[in-house]
Amino acid sequence: MVTQFLFFFEHVFIPKMVEESHFVDSDFSIWVEKNHQPPPRLTLKAGIVEHGGRTRDAIFERKDGICSVQAVVDPSTWGEVATLPADCHPRERLIFNLQTNSASPTRVDVAADGVIQWVEGSQDTWLSLSGLIFPLTAGWPMDLKNDWTNAAAPYAGATYTLVGSLCFLEGRIEQGKGFVRKLAQLPVECRPTKRVMFAQNVGNSSNRIDVLPDGEVKYVRGQSAWVSLSGIVFSTTTAAQQPLELASGWVTSGGSGDVFGIPTYSNIYGHCLIEGRIFGSLVSGGGLLGQLPVECWPMRQLIFSQAYGDVVIEVDVSEFGEISYNTDTSGSGTISLAGIIFGAPSDGRRMLPTVFPWEALESNEYGEGSLFMKNGFCMLEGRVLGRACQCMLVSQWFQNVSKG
C-alpha cells in the first residue's frame, strides 16, 4: 500500500534566485490557492466537441482591439462550428486558411454575426481554429492594382488595419482582366520589416502571397480567380523583434543577405507574433523547429497551417513554447513562420513543465499545475500527480527561468 501525502499552501512564492533541484520521496499531490480568471469558453454548435488533451478547452479572447480564437474541435458534422459573442464580430464576412488532421488546406469563414463555419476543404478528424484572428476596428481601403477588385457582399473588401505596430490585412479580392501578380500597394505606415510569406485560402486549396518591405502585396505561387487576404498579419517595426532560437538542423533560408531576414518573435500588446522563413530537412513523424521564451508560451497546444514551399504544413506551438512541425513525409525545404500569432496569457500564468512520472491534472477543482511570474517571483498553483520516486518534480527549465 502506498501512502499519499497532501500538502496545502495558501501562497507559494519562489524568488528568482533558485540554484538547486528539489526532490520528493513519496506519492503526493500539491494544492495551491486558485486566483485567476480563465479566458471565456467558445460557444460550440451542436455536434461539435473540444478535441481535448494538450489542446485543452476552446477559448476566444478580445484583447486590445483584437479578437482571436484558440481551439481544436472534433466535428461530427462539418458546417457551422461555433459562435463568437457580439463584442467579437467582424464587420463583414472573412475567409481563413486553417488546419485539420490532413495536410490539405481548409476554408473556414467568420460571418458578421459571429458564426464560425467550415465551408470547404479537408474534413479529416479535427479542425484547428488557431490563426483565426482579426481586428475589431474599421480598416482603411487597400490600394488594389492591376484590375484586382473587391468581392461583392457579404465578403469584406480589402483593407489594412493598424493595431499599434501590428498590421492586419483583410478581405476577399477577385481578379479583373488577365492575371497579374501584384495585388496591392500598402502605405509606408503598414509595411513589414522584412519579406513575409503566407499560405492564403482560395477555397479548397491555398496559394502563396508575400508582402514585401516596400509595401507590395504579391501573388507568388498558384493562380486563382480570387484570394482571401484575411490572416495576413505582420510587425511594422523592429523595436519588439527578438531573434528566435532555432532547433538543430534549421537555419535562415538564404543566408545573411536573405530578404526574409532572420526568424524573430515579438510580444506586442500581449500578442506573440512569429516571423521569418527557415530551411531544413523534414522527417516523417515531425520534429522541432524552434523554442519560444516563457513570455510567449500559450496555455494550450496551438496548431497552425503554414506555407511550406508551394503547399502547406502543420506547425504547432506547445504550451511550453516548442515550435514543431508534423508531417508524414520527408525531404528538405523552407517553412514560413509568418502568420503565427496568439494571445499570451495576460495574467502571467503558464503551464508548469513537470517531469515524468509527474503530470498536471487536466480537469479538477484545484486547477492544473501552473506557475505565475510577477514582480521577480514565481508562484505555483494547482495540482500535480505522480508516484513514489526520488526524482525531479519540474524540469530543469524551471531552474533556468528562475535564475533569469
Side-chain angles (χ1 to χ4, degrees):
M1 179 177 179
V2 177
T3 302
Q4 292 194 348
F5 300 93
L6 306 182
F7 290 80
F8 293 87
F9 302 91
E10 290 186 0
H11 300 282
V12 176
F13 289 104
I14 301 178
K16 288 190 174 182
M17 301 289 290
V18 175
E19 296 290 345
E20 60 184 33
S21 303
H22 296 273
F23 295 90
V24 294
D25 297 310
S26 302
D27 281 8
F28 65 86
S29 299
I30 299 174
W31 283 265
V32 188
E33 184 182 27
K34 191 172 183 178
N35 64 357
H36 76 282
Q37 293 296 323
R41 299 285 283 268
L42 187 64
T43 302
L44 302 180
K45 295 288 188 178
I48 309 295
V49 297
E50 294 170 345
H51 185 68
R54 293 178 65 186
T55 62
R56 301 178 70 230
D57 48 348
I59 66 158
F60 71 92
E61 284 190 293
R62 187 186 190 277
K63 182 163 59 175
D64 293 313
I66 298 170
C67 183
S68 63
V69 177
Q70 296 181 11
V72 179
V73 296
D74 295 341
S76 59
T77 58
W78 294 76
E80 292 188 358
V81 175
T83 302
L84 291 166
D87 63 351
C88 222
H89 289 182
R91 294 167 304 284
E92 297 175 276
R93 192 179 189 98
L94 303 177
I95 301 172
F96 293 88
N97 199 61
L98 301 183
Q99 183 74 33
T100 67
N101 188 50
S102 166
S104 301
T106 301
R107 172 181 167 182
V108 174
D109 290 12
V110 184
D113 61 1
V115 173
I116 302 171
Q117 181 176 10
W118 173 92
V119 177
E120 58 182 319
S122 172
Q123 300 182 31
D124 190 352
T125 314
W126 50 258
L127 171 66
S128 172
L129 300 180
S130 295
L132 198 160
I133 185 169
F134 53 88
L136 295 169
T137 54
W140 295 92
M142 202 178 299
D143 181 15
L144 297 178
K145 300 295 185 182
N146 298 311
D147 293 321
W148 285 90
T149 60
N150 290 319
Y155 298 105
T159 61
Y160 69 91
T161 306
L162 278 167
V163 181
S165 58
L166 291 174
C167 184
F168 291 82
L169 306 190
E170 292 181 301
R172 170 173 162 160
I173 58 175
E174 299 174 349
Q175 70 176 84
K177 294 177 288 186
F179 184 87
V180 182
R181 294 195 178 275
K182 183 173 182 178
L183 305 179
Q185 181 66 41
L186 294 171
V188 66
E189 67 269 20
C190 198
R191 294 178 181 177
T193 61
K194 55 196 171 192
R195 186 166 182 157
V196 281
M197 166 181 167
F198 301 88
Q200 294 303 114
N201 189 266
V202 291
N204 60 4
S205 62
S206 63
N207 288 340
R208 175 181 160 187
I209 305 294
D210 288 12
V211 184
L212 280 58
D214 64 2
E216 179 181 354
V217 183
K218 187 174 184 179
Y219 213 134
V220 178
R221 293 284 188 274
Q223 183 168 329
S224 177
W226 65 271
V227 66
S228 172
L229 302 177
S230 299
I232 292 179
V233 57
F234 49 84
S235 174
T236 61
T237 177
T238 60
Q241 293 178 357
Q242 298 293 326
L244 178 67
E245 179 185 340
L246 297 181
S248 176
W250 290 90
V251 296
T252 56
S253 58
S256 60
D258 187 4
V259 294
F260 291 91
I262 65 169
T264 57
Y265 74 91
S266 307
N267 192 330
I268 303 173
Y269 299 109
H271 290 86
C272 289
L273 172 73
I274 308 175
E275 295 179 298
R277 191 176 76 162
I278 58 178
F279 176 84
S281 297
L282 303 178
V283 296
S284 181
L288 190 65
L289 298 173
Q291 176 68 50
L292 289 167
V294 68
E295 63 265 26
C296 272
W297 289 10
M299 281 297 292
R300 55 192 47 75
Q301 181 179 359
L302 306 177
I303 302 174
F304 297 88
S305 181
Q306 295 301 119
Y308 169 56
D310 296 338
V311 294
V312 294
I313 191 170
E314 176 187 329
V315 173
D316 301 352
V317 180
S318 80
E319 64 271 46
F320 306 122
E322 300 155 319
I323 308 168
S324 59
Y325 68 90
N326 187 21
T327 182
D328 57 4
T329 62
S330 59
S332 60
T334 57
I335 296 177
S336 174
L337 302 177
I340 295 180
I341 182 171
F342 54 90
S346 56
D347 59 2
R349 181 172 181 254
R350 301 294 188 274
M351 297 299 294
L352 187 67
T354 55
V355 173
F356 181 82
W358 295 92
E359 61 180 343
L361 299 182
E362 291 185 6
S363 179
N364 64 84
E365 60 183 305
Y366 299 98
E368 298 169 282
S370 58
L371 61 92
F372 290 83
M373 296 179 299
K374 196 169 186 179
N375 299 328
F377 288 90
C378 288
M379 182 175 73
L380 304 187
E381 176 184 279
R383 183 171 71 167
V384 296
L385 181 67
R387 58 181 169 81
C389 66
Q390 185 172 3
C391 54
M392 192 176 293
L393 173 60
V394 295
S395 72
Q396 184 70 30
W397 168 89
F398 188 73
Q399 297 178 61
N400 294 337
V401 78
S402 297
K403 296 174 187 177

